[in-house]
Amino acid sequence: METDSQEHVLSDYRPIVPEQLIAIGVNDLPVAWPHIEPMLRKACEESRGEFTVEPVLSEMGLENGVERWKLLAIIRDKTVQAVMVVCLTQNGERRSLDCLLASGDNAKEWPLVDEQFDAFALAHGCTSVRIPCARKGWAKALPHWRIVGYCMSREIG
């Protein structure tokens, strides 16, 4: 029986545990889209113009099948709690999993999927995980992360 309920969409991935991190591939995106689009759009809006939805989808391989960025979702009780857009960054011999965008509910609970996030990064050959341009409030929600620097900018011209 076909249904587009969030419960059906997410149960196709694997059994649900209290908090779970799943990767949503480009082939799954059309079915998952109604459940993740509002959070992805909000994350783009909060990026101060650095990201917009259409280019993000392009980087995720929607246009040509080349998946440079990945979409991860935090699931609780068969409901999407948060989405993250991540990419792999190579710097010499070091590879990092960078969280470019994130949005959702209950940010203080996101660390509950840290082990799964780290396992995802390790499976892709990463030695670190980073949030290259985090909002200031994330330091409160993610107190076990360390602030390495600040992103500063100014308009010119």
Side-chain angles (χ1 to χ4, degrees):
M1 178 173 134
E2 282 291 314
T3 178
D4 64 348
S5 76
Q6 192 170 22
E7 180 177 332
H8 173 75
V9 169
L10 300 175
S11 65
D12 288 345
Y13 290 97
R14 55 186 101 146
I16 302 299
V17 294
E19 275 83 26
Q20 184 173 20
L21 185 70
I22 64 170
I24 299 176
V26 69
N27 293 333
D28 302 315
L29 198 53
V31 177
W33 186 246
H35 309 290
I36 61 170
E37 185 270 339
M39 286 181 247
L40 182 59
R41 190 163 302 283
K42 181 180 177 199
C44 288
E45 288 168 0
E46 291 176 350
S47 75
R48 299 168 302 281
E50 189 167 341
F51 298 99
T52 57
V53 173
E54 290 72 23
V56 168
L57 292 174
S58 178
E59 293 294 332
M60 289 171 36
L62 196 60
E63 292 176 3
N64 60 11
V66 177
E67 187 180 29
R68 293 183 30 173
W69 295 354
K70 298 187 180 299
L71 180 66
L72 304 178
I74 298 175
I75 310 301
R76 172 189 276 159
D77 297 328
K78 301 180 183 176
T79 302
V80 178
Q81 294 293 305
V83 296
M84 294 174 272
V85 175
V86 299
C87 73
L88 301 173
T89 302
Q90 191 79 34
N91 187 0
E93 296 292 316
R94 296 183 51 107
R95 180 179 273 192
S96 175
L97 180 67
D98 290 353
C99 181
L100 303 175
L101 291 167
S103 181
D105 299 324
N106 305 316
K108 289 185 179 190
E109 294 179 9
W110 295 358
L112 298 174
V113 298
D114 271 357
E115 287 182 23
Q116 295 169 58
F117 190 71
D118 294 352
F120 182 86
L122 288 168
H124 287 85
C126 297
T127 57
S128 66
V129 293
R130 302 183 317 158
I131 304 172
C133 196
R135 292 190 323 271
K136 194 174 184 179
W138 285 17
K140 290 179 186 174
L142 305 170
H144 58 295
W145 286 65
R146 130 183 114 90
I147 297 173
V148 176
Y150 294 94
C151 176
M152 297 177 66
S153 69
R154 63 184 178 93
E155 300 297 317
I156 59 172

